[in-house]
Structure formats: structure tokens, C-alpha cells
């Protein structure tokens, strides 16, 4: 899940938009680590995002449901934005609706309470048992001769 602050307009003539949070739901299809140097790296998630207009609804019990047959970015165009930084993601899980099998109920994932004195080095944040595809990418740079390395972890489950 990605919670994004987006402007909302009352009409096409509205010049004072109201900023509000909108939740976007999806499923992770790739996890990509971009490493520019040993100290500068970014982790991206590529997701199949649900179209909020046609693939999301609330049921009579006020549960939010999503339908993965209604996703955004089907054409894989340059202007599509299927990626988010790992730091922007919030984890949820889905339970299939027993009556409407194309729809899944969204269940928020409870965050684990870690002690503030613990560091990232105490935990393994890398999933094991998943094939790694490593690609060297040469990008032209005027002042830097280093080559960034793109690492992709594909979830084949």
C-alpha cells in the first residue's frame, strides 16, 4: 500500500485544491536495488497497482476490497509510474472474498515494535531462496567514472 497526498478539485474552475491522503493498493512484482556506491543505494518495488476507480470498493460492512483484474499501467508506457521506494510502502495482506472470488479484502499489517537501540545490522532484511539477477548498467557521466549496479530480485512464488 502507498499512502499519497494528492490535490482534489471541486470542479475544473477550482483554483484552491484540497490536499488529502489517498491509498493505493497493489502487489509487488519486482524488488530492485540500485547501488551507486557502497554507501549510496536505493531499493525500489515495482507493483501492479489497482485502479481505484474500477478495482476498489467498500462492502456493506465498510471493508475495503480490491480486484486485481482492474490494474493500472497495462501498456508498460514510459509515463507509467509502477515504482515506489521501499520506504514509501506500507504492508497489507489480502483475503479472498468467499462470495465474490475476484475481490479481496484488505487487511492492514501490524508493524512490529522494535527497540530503538537495535540496528539494521541485527536483522536480515534480504529474502533468501529467491533467484537474483544482476545487471551492470553503463551510464554516461561527465565527472564520474563509476558504474552503478542494478540488482533485481524476482519473486517467483
Amino acid at each position: 500500500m502507498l499512502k499519497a497526498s494528492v490535490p482534489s478539485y471541486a470542479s475544473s474552475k477550482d483554483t484552491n485544491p484540497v490536499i488529502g491522503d489517498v491509498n493505493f493498493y497493489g502487489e509487488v512484482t519486482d524488488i530492485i536495488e540500485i547501488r551507486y556506491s557502497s554507501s549510496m543505494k536505493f531499493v525500489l518495488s515495482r507493483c501492479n497497482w489497482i485502479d481505484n476507480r474500477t478495482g476498489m470498493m467498500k462492502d456493506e460492512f465498510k471493508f475495503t476490497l480490491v480486484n486485481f483484474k482492474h490494474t493500472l499501467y497495462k501498456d508498460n508506457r514510459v509515463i507509467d509510474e509502477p515504482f515506489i521506494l521501499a520506504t514509501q510502502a506500507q504492508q497489507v495482506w489480502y483475503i479472498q472474498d468467499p462470495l465474490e472470488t475476484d475481490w479481496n479484502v484488505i487487511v492492514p499489517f501490524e508493524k512490529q515494535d522494535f527497540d530503538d537501540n537495535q540496528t539494521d545490522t541485527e536483522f536480515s532484511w534480504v529474502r533468501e531462496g529467491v533467484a537474483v539477477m544482476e545487471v551492470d548498467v553503463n551510464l554516461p557521466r561527465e565527472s564520474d567514472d563509476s558504474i552503478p549496479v542494478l540488482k533485481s530480485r524476482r519473486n517467483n512464488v
Side-chain angles (χ1 to χ4, degrees), residues 81-141:
E81 297 182 26
F83 297 98
I84 62 170
L85 292 168
T87 55
Q88 296 173 304
Q90 295 180 30
Q91 190 171 4
V92 298
W93 50 287
Y94 304 102
I95 299 175
Q96 186 178 39
D97 186 306
L99 300 176
E100 300 288 336
T101 56
D102 287 342
W103 291 88
N104 297 277
V105 178
I106 297 169
V107 180
F109 186 80
E110 296 296 324
K111 290 184 179 180
Q112 300 297 317
D113 186 22
F114 292 112
D115 185 356
D116 289 338
N117 295 325
Q118 293 174 324
T119 64
D120 286 344
T121 57
E122 295 179 34
F123 301 100
S124 174
W125 295 107
V126 178
R127 182 175 174 190
E128 300 297 328
V130 177
V132 174
M133 176 180 60
E134 188 169 300
V135 179
D136 288 336
V137 180
N138 292 317
L139 297 176
R141 296 184 184 200

Side-chain angles (χ1 to χ4, degrees), residues 2-157:
L2 170 68
K3 185 175 286 196
S5 294
V6 297
S8 295
Y9 297 89
S11 71
S12 61
K13 296 178 182 181
D14 187 2
T15 58
N16 297 314
V18 175
I19 304 295
D21 288 339
V22 175
N23 294 335
F24 293 93
Y25 298 96
E27 61 183 347
V28 175
T29 58
D30 284 316
I31 297 174
I32 301 168
E33 180 182 82
I34 300 174
R35 187 180 298 246
Y36 292 98
S37 66
S38 60
S39 62
M40 187 176 174
K41 67 179 179 178
F42 300 94
V43 178
L44 300 171
S45 295
R46 181 183 183 121
C47 303
N48 281 339
W49 293 109
I50 302 297
D51 184 338
N52 283 359
R53 291 172 290 172
T54 60
M56 187 167 65
M57 69 174 181
K58 294 241 184 216
D59 68 5
E60 66 270 15
F61 304 108
K62 305 295 184 216
F63 286 107
T64 304
L65 292 91
V66 294
N67 185 327
F68 285 97
K69 291 184 177 180
H70 299 274
T71 59
L72 299 170
Y73 312 135
K74 295 176 184 161
D75 299 326
N76 200 20
R77 298 174 300 170
V78 173
I79 60 171
D80 292 346
E81 297 182 26
F83 297 98
I84 62 170
L85 292 168
T87 55
Q88 296 173 304
Q90 295 180 30
Q91 190 171 4
V92 298
W93 50 287
Y94 304 102
I95 299 175
Q96 186 178 39
D97 186 306
L99 300 176
E100 300 288 336
T101 56
D102 287 342
W103 291 88
N104 297 277
V105 178
I106 297 169
V107 180
F109 186 80
E110 296 296 324
K111 290 184 179 180
Q112 300 297 317
D113 186 22
F114 292 112
D115 185 356
D116 289 338
N117 295 325
Q118 293 174 324
T119 64
D120 286 344
T121 57
E122 295 179 34
F123 301 100
S124 174
W125 295 107
V126 178
R127 182 175 174 190
E128 300 297 328
V130 177
V132 174
M133 176 180 60
E134 188 169 300
V135 179
D136 288 336
V137 180
N138 292 317
L139 297 176
R141 296 184 184 200
E142 295 176 7
S143 62
D144 188 6
D145 293 335
S146 65
I147 299 172
V149 175
L150 171 72
K151 289 185 178 177
S152 173
R153 295 188 179 275
R154 293 186 182 258
N155 187 348
N156 295 326
V157 179

